[in-house]
Amino acid sequence: SSGINAEYGSQCLYNVDPGEAAIIFDKFVGVKSSVYGEGTHFRIPVIQEPVIFDIKSRPRSVPVTTGSKDLQTVNLTLRILFHPDPTLLPSIYTNIGMDYDERILPSIVDEVLKSVVAKYDASELITQRDSVSNTVADDLTRRAETFGIYLDDISITHLTFGHDFARAVESKQVAQQEAERSRYYVEKAEFEKAAAIISAEGDAEAAKMLSDAFDKVGDSLIELRKMEAAEEIAAQLAGSRNVTYLPKDKGMLLNLPA
């Protein structure tokens, strides 16, 4: 008798561990509205059955493929930390089920990401990633709360684009390099042109100075240049053995063979 009572007594009790919460399904009235936290609780055997939820924050990654404003294919993965609202567990169990995260999270993540990404060009998704993440977090948090789910953290962990975008980026880089090369050649040509102008102006100035000098000294400068040239020629002839100098004022007889 005591053994039967002990067994019956154990069936009347159930435990809820830390990080969990329980609701009661009654075979006569359905899901009861009360939520039970950690500890030991009473139930009516056979008639009442505890349903225990994990209410700790848990991670989940959701991959989504969508399109940007400029029609580029975008592949994203969103990592979220979530937990259910303990006060809404009876409603979650009744309307969605124990697998609420599997039923709700992929659907609303796909919905929100497609809505947000469609507002940005592919390049803006890179340059304005923080803004995109904040918008996704705000919209997704509001959407999840309508199902009794709290989101503790949201982050975009993966962001890639289709092959068309990669080719477009490569073509843009090539075009930029060609533009830089063309600009270099233009600047080089302009520099060389400026240098030629400066050189021509210098030559003109030198010619003018030389002309002014001739005007001032007349033929004296030319005579001086002639004397300098004559001295240079005399020096060169003096070193030659085949040259004989004849005095200017005296005659000289040469014995030449008949």
Side-chain angles (χ1 to χ4, degrees):
S1 174
S2 61
I4 295 175
N5 290 335
E7 182 179 354
Y8 181 79
S10 65
Q11 292 179 357
C12 293
L13 301 175
Y14 66 94
N15 293 321
V16 178
D17 294 330
E20 296 179 339
I23 59 174
I24 294 294
F25 174 75
D26 190 297
K27 292 183 179 180
F28 294 108
V29 299
V31 178
K32 303 188 72 173
S33 60
S34 299
V35 178
Y36 303 91
E38 61 181 274
T40 301
H41 304 278
F42 176 78
R43 72 183 177 102
I44 301 174
V46 181
I47 297 176
Q48 294 181 335
E49 191 68 31
V51 180
I52 299 177
F53 281 83
D54 184 353
I55 60 173
K56 297 187 297 294
S57 185
R58 291 181 290 156
R60 185 182 182 93
S61 293
V62 182
V64 174
T65 298
T66 184
S68 63
K69 185 179 178 180
D70 54 351
L71 304 181
Q72 296 293 337
T73 300
V74 184
N75 304 303
L76 305 100
T77 298
L78 198 68
R79 183 181 182 275
I80 55 180
L81 292 176
F82 70 95
H83 72 274
D85 181 351
T87 63
L88 297 178
L89 289 179
S91 174
I92 292 174
Y93 183 74
T94 301
N95 298 317
I96 306 173
M98 286 289 291
D99 58 346
Y100 65 94
D101 58 320
E102 183 66 36
R103 291 173 177 265
I104 299 300
L105 292 179
S107 176
I108 63 174
V109 167
D110 184 79
E111 171 191 327
V112 169
L113 279 179
K114 286 183 176 179
S115 173
V116 173
V117 170
K119 300 175 182 178
Y120 295 86
D121 290 336
S123 59
E124 292 174 339
L125 292 173
I126 299 174
T127 59
Q128 303 180 33
R129 183 163 178 165
D130 289 342
S131 175
V132 175
S133 297
N134 293 335
T135 303
V136 168
D138 293 341
D139 292 354
L140 192 58
T141 297
R142 286 193 296 268
R143 193 78 177 90
E145 286 179 354
T146 63
F147 296 96
I149 303 174
Y150 288 146
L151 303 183
D152 303 313
D153 184 66
I154 304 170
S155 60
I156 298 175
T157 59
H158 178 75
L159 175 62
T160 60
F161 301 92
H163 297 298
D164 292 342
F165 181 75
R167 285 194 292 268
V169 170
E170 183 178 355
S171 298
K172 183 178 180 181
Q173 291 175 341
V174 171
Q176 288 177 339
Q177 291 173 354
E178 290 295 333
E180 288 293 330
R181 187 178 294 108
S182 298
R183 187 173 68 178
Y184 165 75
Y185 286 132
V186 170
E187 291 177 351
K188 181 181 178 183
E190 290 179 350
F191 176 79
E192 291 176 347
K193 179 180 178 181
I197 292 173
I198 293 173
S199 177
E201 291 176 348
D203 292 342
E205 182 67 22
K208 184 176 182 302
M209 293 175 63
L210 188 59
S211 176
D212 292 343
F214 279 129
D215 292 341
K216 290 180 180 180
V217 300
D219 295 334
S220 301
L221 183 60
I222 296 176
E223 293 298 327
L224 177 62
R225 292 288 184 265
K226 287 181 177 180
M227 293 174 62
E228 291 175 349
E231 290 180 357
E232 183 177 354
I233 293 172
Q236 293 176 353
L237 293 177
S240 176
R241 296 179 179 179
N242 297 323
V243 177
T244 302
Y245 291 94
L246 297 177
K248 180 178 179 181
D249 298 331
K250 297 179 180 181
M252 186 174 182
L253 294 177
L254 297 178
N255 295 323
L256 299 176

